[in-house]
Amino acid sequence: MTFFRPMGLSQTLMKIRTGVAIAGLAIAALMLAGGHADARQLSGNEIQNTISGKRIYLAVPLGGEFPLYYRTNGQVDGSGEALGLGRFMAPRDSGRWWVAGNQLCQQWREWYDGQQFCFTLSEAGSDRLSWVRNDGYSGTARIGN
């Protein structure tokens, strides 16, 4: 009697693909939890001050983090190389980011076929954010340096 049966390669790859799709890569996106009921949504100025010049690490469903670097000049860079995403998509991309009202917006060159997405951000701890993308995907992220 076998209590543990390892997954085959195709099952493992399907789970990875599903995880990447759910993650939305930001990509944003993306994820462990939607906004917290008691979390306070960030204003446009707070978003600018929190994100600009920082690396934001999106939590991904299968573990690990997806780093995005929000440069002060409005450029955003992302890399899924550490997560092995090169098999499924361009492993790196860059685009632009801006604040519109009380939302963080971004548009990638290749990822998501260049489609624009906007996010509401809420506090989720001293160095954590929860986010909701305008298409309903949500997740959490860690604020780095």
Side-chain angles (χ1 to χ4, degrees):
M1 180 180 276
T2 303
F3 293 99
F4 172 76
R5 183 181 347 174
M7 289 188 290
L9 180 58
S10 64
Q11 289 173 313
T12 301
L13 289 175
M14 181 58 80
K15 286 192 176 241
I16 290 171
R17 287 182 184 134
T18 300
V20 170
I22 291 171
L25 297 177
I27 201 183
L30 317 194
M31 325 243 224
L32 299 177
H36 299 279
D38 59 347
R40 186 180 63 78
Q41 185 174 321
L42 299 181
S43 70
N45 285 336
E46 290 172 317
I47 291 170
Q48 182 79 30
N49 293 334
T50 300
I51 299 298
S52 185
K54 303 253 178 58
R55 291 191 196 291
I56 304 298
Y57 298 89
L58 301 177
V60 295
L62 299 176
E65 296 178 316
F66 193 94
L68 301 174
Y69 180 37
Y70 290 88
R71 298 179 183 274
T72 57
N73 67 359
Q75 180 175 326
V76 59
D77 301 310
S79 174
E81 290 177 328
L83 297 173
L85 298 180
R87 295 182 188 117
F88 310 106
M89 56 183 265
R92 291 177 168 257
D93 198 5
S94 63
R96 61 187 187 97
W97 73 274
W98 64 97
V99 174
N102 292 331
Q103 293 189 319
L104 167 67
C105 298
Q106 62 189 30
Q107 185 174 26
W108 298 97
R109 289 184 182 144
E110 294 182 35
W111 292 346
Y112 301 107
D113 295 323
Q115 184 177 353
Q116 173 185 317
F117 289 102
C118 293
F119 304 80
T120 56
L121 303 178
S122 300
E123 295 175 334
S126 63
D127 68 341
R128 302 235 173 239
L129 298 170
S130 60
W131 55 267
V132 178
R133 197 167 70 184
N134 59 327
D135 63 357
Y137 280 108
S138 62
T140 60
R142 177 175 62 86
I143 304 167
N145 295 331

